[in-house]
């Protein structure tokens, strides 16, 4: 039996694309915000016994998008849907999976509990910042990667002797860079970051890289305020990179992040439809469709 | 054993007042929002085995305040607090306890499930719009009323032949008016409202009331955009009321609600500290302290 797609308010276009590309029916829904900001959601067709895939990314304002997601799951459960799958391209609150200081609340664990308590059956996300967060889930929870799709986007730019750069040398960043490099049959290398445990501040070290005269592509999972990525761009430019591209799965681009990156010398900044907006030039629709097929949900 | 007070971000002043008036220790906490809007919360002292009362009102932005509340409860549970009591003066998403149209999600039921799933022990709220919502809770859940406190505030204005007016004739509104009238040893009466089931629009009927030459006090639970309350003020003024006061437990006052009420002829609009702001001239601290004492949590 085919899953039916439910497009949440944060990801309506992505849901439509998944429906179109996968030839999957989309469930008619209605929603609004009341004047006091309270959310209202209605399934406008019978979903009893139906297998659903709710598509809702949790980019800022994350708390509002989370409440919307929980209301859709809770409603689907209450209305006796069959399985309730989730595609959450950007899983908010996934930066911290442990207590750095005593007494801290672990928001990733809370979100996992909320998603499970409301009745979700399984979960897919994309390029989660800390994979350990997925261990908080007792339901099947999978991480997909958009590295290949980002690399393919830049390949169309006519790259000269390209090199993929991971913004840090941790395992996940290195793996994303490896996949991107493999896609464009190029090399990859990693910058190095140091985090101050008390302030949480991140500093990128001025490591020597073989980028002189070459097109460099930074492949990152999240760009938030853009400070760290802008530093990476600056380092690559200083070392003689010809062009510097920035590809991020989740281009949150808080405040003037995009200007910061351009000022640092970035030739183009590209994200996925995990976060709708001007830079969202790569879709995650094929990722989830492939995963659903592999896992036999289709 | 005494409960310790935890002041949530939406109700820090109220929490301090409860601590002060009830001679109850307040737990040191730290919190912030990251640049991307994600919430961070930390208990800055050991709460293991401690009985807590978390004070957090859910006025707009409700979704953000709900996430903050859930994170505090979840953290307290994780850190092995004893009992986790909640004082939520304004319980958001309490307008609807049933499905008006097929396929609607019932947000009040969802919020109850979230609060319980994260580990709350019991709950107090004030003048909840629909008492039926409390039946969604399996943990002890109590509704308090600020009617008496609002009436006492207006009594200090030197009232002339006062009459309390309920904005509609439903049981809860009538009961709140009765309590307020008893407090100031005056009369009370009720206006009548009709709700359109499809649009949800509310219209107040021009019922004849004995308000001519008298000070009238409208006692309401929630004032949101102020349209309904402004209509009530207008009706009372038209019928010759001397002064018209408006007392609402939850003066959300969305947009230009306060101007609307003033333009309609309201002499003063007063709310409680359920919603901090200029009109919050009545506290709910004594309500919760009395209830805690009665229920032997103190």
């Amino acid at each position: 039996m085919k899953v039916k797609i439910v497009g949440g308010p944060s990801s309506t276009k992505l849901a439509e694309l998944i429906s179109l590309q996968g030839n999957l029916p989309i469930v008619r829904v209605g929603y609004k915000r009341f004047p006091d900001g309270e959310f209202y959601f209605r399934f406008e067709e019978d979903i009893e016994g139906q297998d659903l895939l709710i598509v809702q990314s949790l980019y800022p304002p994350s708390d509002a998008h989370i409440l919307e997601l929980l209301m859709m799951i809770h409603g689907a459960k209450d209305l006796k849907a069959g399985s309730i799958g989730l595609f959450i391209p950007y899983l908010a609150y996934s930066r911290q999976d442990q207590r750095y200081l005593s007494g801290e609340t672990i928001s990733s664990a809370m979100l996992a509990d909320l998603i499970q308590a409301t009745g979700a059956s399984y979960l897919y996300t994309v390029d989660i910042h800390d994979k350990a967060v997925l261990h908080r889930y007792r339901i099947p929870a999978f991480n997909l990667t958009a590295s290949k799709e980002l690399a393919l986007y830049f390949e169309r730019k006519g790259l000269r002797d390209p090199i993929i750069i991971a913004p840090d040398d941790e395992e996940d960043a290195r793996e994303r860079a490896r996949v991107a490099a493999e896609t464009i049959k190029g090399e990859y290398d990693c910058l190095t970051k140091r985090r101050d445990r008390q302030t949480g501040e991140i500093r990128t070290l001025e490591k020597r890289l073989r980028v002189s005269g070459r097109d460099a592509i930074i492949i990152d999972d999240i760009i938030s305020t853009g400070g760290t990525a802008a530093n990476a761009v600056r380092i690559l430019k200083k070392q003689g990179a010809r062009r510097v591209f920035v590809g991020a799965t989740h281009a949150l681009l808080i405040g003037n992040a995009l200007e910061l990156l351009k000022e640092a010398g970035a030739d183009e900044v590209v994200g996925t439809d995990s976060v709708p907006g001007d830079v969202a030039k790569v879709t995650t629709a094929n990722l989830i469709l492939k995963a659903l097929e592999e896992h036999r949900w289709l």
Side-chain angles (χ1 to χ4, degrees), chain A:
Chain A
M1 188 162 140
K2 277 186 172 185
V3 299
K4 288 191 168 179
I5 306 300
V6 176
S10 70
S11 297
T12 46
K13 276 177 79 174
L14 172 56
E16 280 165 23
L17 197 59
I18 293 170
S19 160
L20 200 72
Q21 286 192 6
N23 192 26
L24 298 170
I26 200 153
V27 176
R28 269 180 293 116
V29 300
Y31 51 82
K32 64 176 175 183
R33 290 269 174 187
F34 289 105
D36 60 3
E38 289 191 0
F39 183 60
Y40 169 93
F41 187 90
R42 182 181 172 218
F43 292 96
E44 293 184 340
E45 58 186 81
D46 190 9
I47 56 166
E48 191 174 332
Q50 301 289 329
D51 292 320
L52 305 178
L53 180 75
I54 298 174
V55 182
Q56 169 89 343
S57 197
L58 301 179
Y59 56 87
S62 297
D63 291 358
H65 290 148
I66 289 170
L67 259 285
E68 291 166 359
L69 172 69
L70 297 173
M71 214 178 291
M72 291 185 282
I73 305 171
H74 192 272
K77 187 79 183 173
D78 196 30
L79 293 160
K80 302 186 174 54
S83 61
I84 305 171
L86 307 180
F87 181 41
I88 307 176
Y90 180 60
L91 189 63
Y93 288 108
S94 296
R95 290 164 187 269
Q96 190 171 348
D97 179 57
Q98 53 180 306
R99 220 161 255 141
Y100 294 117
L101 301 170
S102 67
E104 284 182 338
T105 56
I106 302 170
S107 47
S108 55
M110 178 202 61
L111 185 56
D113 284 353
L114 297 181
I115 284 173
Q116 288 174 151
T118 41
S121 310
Y122 60 89
L123 157 73
Y124 288 91
T125 187
V126 183
D127 290 323
I128 190 167
H129 188 68
D130 185 348
K131 273 187 193 160
V133 165
L134 292 181
H135 299 310
R136 296 280 177 182
Y137 288 82
R138 293 178 306 273
I139 57 173
F142 305 97
N143 184 47
L144 310 173
T145 180
S147 275
K148 190 176 167 183
E149 281 65 25
L150 288 167
L152 286 173
Y153 175 86
F154 290 114
E155 196 178 39
R156 294 197 297 270
K157 300 276 160 183
L159 299 172
R160 184 202 283 178
D161 194 11
I163 180 166
I164 305 284
I165 303 293
D168 63 67
D169 57 3
E170 283 176 39
E171 197 191 327
D172 291 352
R174 185 179 286 274
E175 174 60 14
R176 281 190 294 267
R178 195 192 60 72
V179 168
E182 196 179 86
T183 304
I184 60 167
K185 295 173 185 64
E187 290 184 317
Y188 74 97
D189 204 344
C190 305
L191 281 161
T192 310
K193 290 197 291 200
R194 288 286 169 272
R195 174 190 284 273
D196 183 315
R197 280 218 150 196
Q198 284 292 326
T199 67
E201 222 171 285
I202 289 168
R203 201 165 56 85
T204 305
L205 308 179
E206 300 230 2
K207 182 185 162 187
R208 197 77 213 155
L209 299 162
R210 289 152 303 138
V211 294
S212 181
R214 304 170 72 177
D215 284 338
I217 305 164
I218 298 169
I219 292 289
D220 209 344
D221 57 344
I222 308 174
I223 295 183
S224 180
T225 54
T228 315
N231 271 337
V233 172
R234 218 171 280 119
I235 289 170
L236 299 180
K237 276 286 179 187
K238 204 167 142 190
Q239 296 189 12
R242 181 177 169 253
R243 290 186 294 182
V244 178
F245 297 108
V246 179
T249 307
H250 313 291
L252 305 181
L253 300 176
I254 307 294
N256 63 343
L258 192 56
E259 292 160 51
L260 273 181
L261 287 161
K262 292 289 173 80
E263 279 168 23
D267 287 85
E268 189 177 352
V269 178
V270 165
T272 76
D273 52 7
S274 158
V275 186
D278 292 344
V279 307
K281 297 192 175 147
V282 172
T283 184
T284 58
N286 46 335
L287 299 181
I288 182 67
L289 284 168
K290 206 176 141 210
L292 287 175
E293 208 171 323
E294 270 175 17
H295 292 119
R296 316 242 167 189
W297 290 106
L298 290 192

Short mmCIF file of all heavy atoms in Angstrom, two decimals, chain A residues 15 20-21 77 88 107 118 122 129 131 135 147 156 173 183 192 203 226 254 258 271 274:
data_model
loop_
_atom_site.label_atom_id
_atom_site.label_comp_id
_atom_site.label_asym_id
_atom_site.label_seq_id
_atom_site.Cartn_x
_atom_site.Cartn_y
_atom_site.Cartn_z
N ALA A 15 6.45 18.86 0.04
CA ALA A 15 5.46 17.77 0.08
C ALA A 15 4.83 17.57 -1.31
O ALA A 15 4.66 16.44 -1.77
CB ALA A 15 4.39 18.08 1.12
N LEU A 20 4.46 14.52 -6.37
CA LEU A 20 4.57 14.55 -7.83
C LEU A 20 5.61 13.55 -8.33
O LEU A 20 5.35 12.72 -9.19
CB LEU A 20 4.95 15.97 -8.25
CG LEU A 20 4.66 16.38 -9.68
CD1 LEU A 20 3.17 16.56 -9.89
CD2 LEU A 20 5.39 17.70 -10.00
N GLN A 21 6.83 13.64 -7.74
CA GLN A 21 7.94 12.79 -8.19
C GLN A 21 7.69 11.32 -7.87
O GLN A 21 8.13 10.43 -8.59
CB GLN A 21 9.25 13.24 -7.55
CG GLN A 21 9.80 14.53 -8.14
CD GLN A 21 11.23 14.81 -7.69
OE1 GLN A 21 11.85 13.99 -7.02
NE2 GLN A 21 11.75 15.97 -8.06
N LYS A 77 -3.13 10.23 14.72
CA LYS A 77 -3.29 9.08 15.63
C LYS A 77 -4.74 8.99 16.12
O LYS A 77 -5.34 7.92 16.12
CB LYS A 77 -2.34 9.27 16.82
CG LYS A 77 -2.26 8.08 17.77
CD LYS A 77 -1.37 7.00 17.19
CE LYS A 77 -1.35 5.77 18.08
NZ LYS A 77 -0.61 4.68 17.42
N ILE A 88 11.29 14.83 8.34
CA ILE A 88 11.65 16.10 8.97
C ILE A 88 13.04 16.47 8.47
O ILE A 88 14.04 16.15 9.12
CB ILE A 88 11.67 15.97 10.51
CG1 ILE A 88 10.35 15.38 11.02
CG2 ILE A 88 11.96 17.32 11.16
CD1 ILE A 88 10.31 15.14 12.52
N SER A 107 17.41 19.00 25.15
CA SER A 107 16.26 19.29 24.32
C SER A 107 16.03 18.23 23.23
O SER A 107 14.89 17.95 22.88
CB SER A 107 16.43 20.67 23.69
OG SER A 107 17.71 20.81 23.14
N THR A 118 3.27 11.36 20.88
CA THR A 118 2.09 11.72 20.09
C THR A 118 1.71 10.62 19.11
O THR A 118 0.60 10.63 18.59
CB THR A 118 2.32 13.05 19.34
OG1 THR A 118 3.63 13.07 18.82
CG2 THR A 118 2.12 14.22 20.27
N TYR A 122 7.68 6.15 12.45
CA TYR A 122 9.09 6.15 12.05
C TYR A 122 9.46 7.55 11.57
O TYR A 122 8.57 8.39 11.36
CB TYR A 122 9.38 5.11 10.95
CG TYR A 122 8.61 5.33 9.67
CD1 TYR A 122 9.10 6.15 8.66
CD2 TYR A 122 7.37 4.72 9.49
CE1 TYR A 122 8.38 6.36 7.49
CE2 TYR A 122 6.65 4.92 8.32
CZ TYR A 122 7.15 5.74 7.33
OH TYR A 122 6.44 5.95 6.19
N HIS A 129 22.85 17.11 12.73
CA HIS A 129 24.13 17.63 13.21
C HIS A 129 24.85 16.61 14.09
O HIS A 129 26.06 16.42 13.98
CB HIS A 129 23.92 18.92 13.98
CG HIS A 129 25.20 19.61 14.34
ND1 HIS A 129 26.02 20.18 13.38
CD2 HIS A 129 25.83 19.80 15.52
CE1 HIS A 129 27.08 20.70 13.97
NE2 HIS A 129 26.99 20.48 15.27
N LYS A 131 24.51 12.70 15.09
CA LYS A 131 23.82 11.43 14.84
C LYS A 131 23.40 10.72 16.12
O LYS A 131 22.45 9.93 16.12
CB LYS A 131 24.72 10.49 14.02
CG LYS A 131 24.60 10.68 12.52
CD LYS A 131 25.39 9.59 11.80
CE LYS A 131 25.57 9.93 10.33
NZ LYS A 131 26.68 9.18 9.73
N HIS A 135 19.70 8.02 18.50
CA HIS A 135 19.62 6.91 19.46
C HIS A 135 18.58 7.17 20.55
O HIS A 135 18.24 6.29 21.32
CB HIS A 135 20.99 6.65 20.10
CG HIS A 135 22.03 6.27 19.10
ND1 HIS A 135 21.85 5.28 18.16
CD2 HIS A 135 23.27 6.78 18.85
CE1 HIS A 135 22.92 5.17 17.40
NE2 HIS A 135 23.79 6.08 17.79
N SER A 147 24.52 15.39 0.52
CA SER A 147 25.86 15.73 0.02
C SER A 147 25.97 15.54 -1.49
O SER A 147 26.51 16.39 -2.20
CB SER A 147 26.91 14.82 0.66
OG SER A 147 27.31 15.33 1.88
N ARG A 156 27.54 21.46 -12.12
CA ARG A 156 27.01 22.12 -13.32
C ARG A 156 27.61 23.51 -13.54
O ARG A 156 27.36 24.14 -14.55
CB ARG A 156 25.48 22.24 -13.22
CG ARG A 156 24.78 20.88 -13.26
CD ARG A 156 23.29 21.02 -13.58
NE ARG A 156 22.56 21.78 -12.57
CZ ARG A 156 21.98 21.24 -11.49
NH1 ARG A 156 22.06 19.93 -11.28
NH2 ARG A 156 21.32 21.98 -10.63
N ALA A 173 31.21 15.18 9.24
CA ALA A 173 31.57 16.20 8.26
C ALA A 173 32.49 15.59 7.20
O ALA A 173 32.35 15.85 5.99
CB ALA A 173 32.26 17.37 8.95
N THR A 183 31.19 12.03 -5.75
CA THR A 183 30.16 12.39 -6.75
C THR A 183 30.77 13.15 -7.93
O THR A 183 30.43 12.91 -9.08
CB THR A 183 29.07 13.26 -6.08
OG1 THR A 183 28.54 12.56 -4.97
CG2 THR A 183 27.95 13.59 -7.05
N THR A 192 39.86 22.42 10.49
CA THR A 192 39.85 21.96 11.87
C THR A 192 39.24 23.05 12.75
O THR A 192 39.58 24.22 12.59
CB THR A 192 41.29 21.65 12.35
OG1 THR A 192 41.90 20.81 11.38
CG2 THR A 192 41.29 20.94 13.69
N ARG A 203 36.13 28.19 16.80
CA ARG A 203 37.17 28.89 16.05
C ARG A 203 37.75 27.92 15.03
O ARG A 203 38.05 26.77 15.35
CB ARG A 203 38.27 29.36 17.02
CG ARG A 203 39.13 30.51 16.51
CD ARG A 203 39.93 31.14 17.67
NE ARG A 203 40.73 30.14 18.35
CZ ARG A 203 41.95 29.75 17.96
NH1 ARG A 203 42.52 30.30 16.89
NH2 ARG A 203 42.61 28.83 18.63
N GLY A 226 26.29 32.01 10.21
CA GLY A 226 27.23 32.09 9.10
C GLY A 226 28.65 32.44 9.49
O GLY A 226 29.54 32.45 8.63
N ILE A 254 20.56 32.87 9.47
CA ILE A 254 19.99 33.78 10.46
C ILE A 254 20.57 35.19 10.27
O ILE A 254 21.76 35.34 10.04
CB ILE A 254 20.32 33.30 11.90
CG1 ILE A 254 19.91 31.83 12.10
CG2 ILE A 254 19.70 34.21 12.95
CD1 ILE A 254 18.45 31.55 12.04
N LEU A 258 23.93 35.63 5.02
CA LEU A 258 24.23 35.57 3.60
C LEU A 258 25.20 36.69 3.19
O LEU A 258 26.17 36.46 2.45
CB LEU A 258 22.94 35.64 2.77
CG LEU A 258 23.07 35.29 1.29
CD1 LEU A 258 23.66 33.91 1.08
CD2 LEU A 258 21.71 35.39 0.60
N GLY A 271 21.52 26.00 -0.59
CA GLY A 271 20.94 25.09 0.40
C GLY A 271 19.95 24.16 -0.26
O GLY A 271 19.79 24.17 -1.48
N SER A 274 15.03 21.89 2.50
CA SER A 274 14.84 21.71 3.93
C SER A 274 14.45 23.05 4.56
O SER A 274 13.65 23.10 5.49
CB SER A 274 16.15 21.21 4.55
OG SER A 274 16.18 21.49 5.92
#
